[in-house]
Coordinates of all heavy atoms in Angstrom, one line a residue:
Chain A
E60 N 106.4 102.2 103.7 CA 105.9 101.3 104.8 C 105.7 99.9 104.3 O 105.7 98.9 105.1 CB 104.4 101.8 105.2 CG 104.5 103.0 106.0 CD 104.5 104.3 105.3 OE1 104.7 104.3 104.0 OE2 104.3 105.4 105.9
I61 N 105.7 99.6 103.0 CA 105.7 98.2 102.6 C 107.0 97.6 102.9 O 107.1 96.4 103.3 CB 105.4 98.2 101.0 CG1 104.0 98.9 100.7 CG2 105.3 96.7 100.6 CD1 103.7 98.9 99.2
A62 N 108.0 98.4 102.6 CA 109.4 97.9 103.0 C 109.6 97.6 104.5 O 110.1 96.6 104.9 CB 110.5 98.8 102.5
C63 N 109.0 98.5 105.3 CA 109.1 98.4 106.7 C 108.5 97.0 107.2 O 109.1 96.3 107.9 CB 108.4 99.5 107.4 SG 109.2 101.1 107.1
I64 N 107.2 96.8 106.7 CA 106.6 95.6 107.3 C 107.2 94.3 106.7 O 107.4 93.3 107.4 CB 105.0 95.6 107.0 CG1 104.4 94.4 107.8 CG2 104.7 95.7 105.6 CD1 102.9 94.5 107.9
S65 N 107.7 94.4 105.4 CA 108.4 93.3 104.8 C 109.7 93.0 105.6 O 110.0 91.8 106.0 CB 108.7 93.6 103.4 OG 107.6 93.9 102.6
A66 N 110.4 94.0 106.0 CA 111.6 93.9 106.7 C 111.4 93.3 108.1 O 112.2 92.4 108.5 CB 112.4 95.2 106.8
I67 N 110.4 93.7 108.7 CA 110.1 93.2 110.1 C 109.7 91.7 110.1 O 110.0 90.9 110.9 CB 109.2 94.0 111.0 CG1 107.7 94.0 110.6 CG2 109.7 95.4 111.1 CD1 106.8 94.5 111.6
I68 N 109.0 91.3 109.0 CA 108.7 89.9 108.8 C 110.0 89.1 108.6 O 110.2 88.1 109.2 CB 107.7 89.7 107.7 CG1 106.3 90.4 108.0 CG2 107.5 88.2 107.4 CD1 105.4 90.4 106.8
G69 N 110.9 89.6 107.7 CA 112.1 89.0 107.5 C 113.0 88.8 108.8 O 113.5 87.8 109.1
A70 N 112.9 89.9 109.6 CA 113.7 89.9 110.8 C 113.1 89.0 111.8 O 113.9 88.3 112.5 CB 113.7 91.3 111.4
S71 N 111.8 88.8 111.8 CA 111.2 87.9 112.8 C 111.6 86.4 112.4 O 111.9 85.6 113.3 CB 109.7 88.0 112.7 OG 109.1 87.2 113.6
W72 N 111.8 86.1 111.1 CA 112.3 84.8 110.8 C 113.8 84.6 111.1 O 114.2 83.4 111.3 CB 112.0 84.5 109.3 CG 110.6 84.2 109.1 CD1 109.6 85.0 108.7 CD2 110.0 82.9 109.5 NE1 108.4 84.4 108.8 CE2 108.6 83.1 109.2 CE3 110.4 81.7 110.0 CZ2 107.7 82.1 109.5 CZ3 109.5 80.7 110.2 CH2 108.2 80.9 109.9
G73 N 114.5 85.7 111.3 CA 115.8 85.6 111.9 C 115.8 85.3 113.4 O 116.8 85.1 114.0
G74 N 114.6 85.4 114.0 CA 114.4 85.0 115.4 C 114.3 86.2 116.3 O 114.4 86.0 117.5
T75 N 114.2 87.4 115.8 CA 114.1 88.6 116.7 C 112.7 89.1 116.8 O 111.9 89.0 115.9 CB 115.0 89.7 116.2 OG1 114.7 90.0 114.8 CG2 116.5 89.4 116.3
K76 N 112.4 89.6 117.9 CA 111.1 90.3 118.1 C 111.2 91.6 117.3 O 112.1 92.5 117.4 CB 110.8 90.6 119.6 CG 110.5 89.4 120.4 CD 110.1 89.7 121.8 CE 109.8 88.4 122.5 NZ 109.5 88.6 123.9
S77 N 110.1 91.8 116.4 CA 110.2 92.9 115.5 C 109.0 93.7 115.4 O 107.9 93.2 115.6 CB 110.5 92.3 114.0 OG 111.6 91.4 114.1
M78 N 109.1 95.0 115.1 CA 107.9 95.9 115.1 C 108.0 97.0 114.1 O 109.2 97.4 113.8 CB 107.9 96.4 116.6 CG 107.1 97.6 116.9 SD 107.2 98.0 118.6 CE 106.9 99.7 118.6
T79 N 106.9 97.5 113.8 CA 106.9 98.8 113.1 C 105.7 99.6 113.6 O 104.8 99.1 114.4 CB 106.6 98.6 111.5 OG1 106.7 99.8 110.9 CG2 105.3 97.9 111.3
A80 N 105.8 100.9 113.4 CA 104.7 101.8 113.9 C 104.3 102.8 112.7 O 105.2 103.3 112.0 CB 105.2 102.6 115.1
T81 N 103.0 103.1 112.6 CA 102.6 103.9 111.5 C 101.3 104.5 111.8 O 100.8 104.5 113.0 CB 102.5 103.0 110.2 OG1 102.2 103.9 109.1 CG2 101.4 102.0 110.3
S82 N 100.7 105.2 110.8 CA 99.3 105.7 110.9 C 98.6 105.5 109.6 O 99.3 105.0 108.7 CB 99.4 107.1 111.3 OG 98.1 107.6 111.7
G83 N 97.4 105.8 109.5 CA 96.5 105.6 108.3 C 97.1 105.3 107.0 O 97.0 104.1 106.5
P84 N 97.6 106.2 106.3 CA 98.1 106.0 105.0 C 99.2 104.9 105.0 O 99.2 104.0 104.0 CB 98.7 107.3 104.5 CG 98.0 108.3 105.4 CD 97.7 107.7 106.7
G85 N 100.1 104.9 106.0 CA 101.1 103.8 106.0 C 100.5 102.4 106.3 O 100.9 101.4 105.8
F86 N 99.5 102.5 107.2 CA 98.7 101.3 107.5 C 98.1 100.6 106.2 O 98.1 99.4 106.1 CB 97.7 101.5 108.5 CG 97.2 100.3 109.3 CD1 98.0 99.4 109.9 CD2 95.8 100.1 109.4 CE1 97.6 98.4 110.6 CE2 95.3 99.0 110.1 CZ 96.2 98.1 110.7
S87 N 97.5 101.5 105.4 CA 96.9 101.1 104.2 C 97.9 100.3 103.3 O 97.7 99.3 102.7 CB 96.3 102.2 103.4 OG 95.1 102.7 104.1
L88 N 99.2 100.9 103.2 CA 100.2 100.3 102.4 C 100.6 98.9 102.9 O 101.1 98.1 102.1 CB 101.4 101.3 102.3 CG 101.3 102.5 101.4 CD1 102.6 103.2 101.4 CD2 100.9 102.1 100.0
M89 N 100.5 98.7 104.2 CA 101.0 97.5 104.8 C 100.0 96.3 104.6 O 100.4 95.2 105.0 CB 101.2 97.7 106.3 CG 102.3 98.6 106.6 SD 102.5 98.7 108.4 CE 103.9 99.9 108.4
Q90 N 98.8 96.5 104.1 CA 97.8 95.5 104.2 C 98.2 94.2 103.5 O 97.9 93.1 104.0 CB 96.5 96.0 103.6 CG 95.9 97.1 104.3 CD 95.6 96.7 105.8 OE1 95.2 95.6 106.1 NE2 95.9 97.7 106.7
E91 N 98.8 94.2 102.3 CA 99.2 92.9 101.7 C 100.1 92.1 102.5 O 99.9 90.8 102.7 CB 99.8 93.1 100.3 CG 100.0 91.8 99.6 CD 101.0 91.9 98.4 OE1 101.6 92.9 98.2 OE2 101.2 90.9 97.7
A92 N 101.0 92.7 103.2 CA 102.0 92.0 104.0 C 101.4 91.6 105.3 O 101.9 90.6 105.9 CB 103.3 92.9 104.3
I93 N 100.4 92.2 105.8 CA 99.7 91.7 107.0 C 99.1 90.4 106.7 O 99.2 89.4 107.5 CB 98.6 92.8 107.4 CG1 99.3 94.0 108.0 CG2 97.7 92.2 108.5 CD1 98.4 95.2 108.3
G94 N 98.5 90.3 105.5 CA 97.9 88.9 105.1 C 99.0 87.9 105.0 O 98.8 86.8 105.4
Y95 N 100.2 88.4 104.5 CA 101.3 87.4 104.4 C 101.8 86.9 105.8 O 102.0 85.8 106.0 CB 102.5 88.1 103.6 CG 103.7 87.3 103.5 CD1 103.9 86.3 102.5 CD2 104.7 87.2 104.5 CE1 104.9 85.5 102.4 CE2 105.7 86.4 104.5 CZ 105.9 85.5 103.4 OH 107.0 84.7 103.4
A96 N 101.8 87.9 106.7 CA 102.3 87.5 108.1 C 101.3 86.5 108.7 O 101.7 85.6 109.4 CB 102.4 88.7 108.9
A97 N 100.0 86.7 108.4 CA 99.0 85.9 108.9 C 99.1 84.5 108.3 O 99.1 83.4 109.0 CB 97.5 86.4 108.6
M98 N 99.3 84.5 107.0 CA 99.4 83.1 106.3 C 100.7 82.4 106.6 O 100.7 81.2 106.7 CB 99.3 83.4 104.8 CG 99.2 82.2 103.9 SD 97.6 81.4 104.1 CE 97.4 80.6 102.5
S99 N 101.8 83.2 106.8 CA 103.1 82.5 107.0 C 103.3 82.3 108.6 O 104.3 81.8 108.9 CB 104.2 83.3 106.4 OG 104.2 84.6 107.0
E100 N 102.3 82.8 109.4 CA 102.4 82.7 110.8 C 103.7 83.3 111.4 O 104.4 82.6 112.1 CB 102.2 81.3 111.2 CG 100.8 80.7 110.8 CD 100.6 79.3 111.3 OE1 100.2 79.2 112.5 OE2 100.7 78.4 110.6
T101 N 103.8 84.6 111.0 CA 105.0 85.3 111.5 C 104.6 86.2 112.6 O 103.8 87.1 112.5 CB 105.6 86.2 110.4 OG1 105.7 85.3 109.2 CG2 106.9 86.7 110.7
P102 N 105.3 86.1 113.8 CA 105.0 87.0 114.9 C 105.6 88.4 114.6 O 106.8 88.5 114.5 CB 105.7 86.4 116.1 CG 106.4 85.2 115.6 CD 106.3 85.1 114.1
I103 N 104.8 89.4 114.5 CA 105.2 90.8 114.4 C 104.2 91.7 115.1 O 103.1 91.3 115.3 CB 105.3 91.2 112.9 CG1 104.0 90.9 112.1 CG2 106.4 90.7 112.1 CD1 103.8 91.6 110.8
V104 N 104.7 92.9 115.5 CA 103.8 93.8 116.2 C 103.8 95.1 115.3 O 104.8 95.6 114.8 CB 104.3 94.2 117.5 CG1 103.6 95.3 118.1 CG2 104.2 93.0 118.5
I105 N 102.5 95.5 115.0 CA 102.3 96.7 114.2 C 101.5 97.7 115.1 O 100.4 97.4 115.6 CB 101.5 96.4 113.0 CG1 102.2 95.4 112.1 CG2 101.2 97.7 112.2 CD1 101.3 94.5 111.3
V106 N 102.1 98.9 115.3 CA 101.5 100.0 116.1 C 100.8 100.9 115.0 O 101.5 101.3 114.1 CB 102.4 100.7 116.9 CG1 101.7 101.8 117.7 CG2 103.2 99.8 117.9
N107 N 99.6 101.1 115.2 CA 98.9 102.1 114.4 C 98.3 103.2 115.3 O 97.4 102.9 116.1 CB 97.7 101.4 113.6 CG 96.9 102.4 112.7 OD1 97.2 103.6 112.7 ND2 96.0 101.9 112.0
V108 N 98.9 104.3 115.2 CA 98.4 105.5 116.0 C 97.5 106.2 115.1 O 97.8 107.0 114.2 CB 99.6 106.4 116.4 CG1 99.0 107.5 117.3 CG2 100.7 105.6 117.1

Side-chain angles (χ1 to χ4, degrees):
Chain A
E60 287 86 348
I61 303 176
C63 295
I64 187 165
S65 302
I67 69 167
I68 295 172
S71 184
W72 282 99
T75 54
K76 288 188 179 175
S77 308
M78 162 178 154
T79 185
T81 188
S82 189
F86 196 56
S87 290
L88 285 183
M89 290 181 184
Q90 293 304 319
E91 186 196 6
I93 289 170
Y95 178 88
M98 189 65 151
S99 60
E100 301 186 77
T101 310
I103 49 167
V104 172
I105 299 151
V106 181
N107 179 358
V108 186

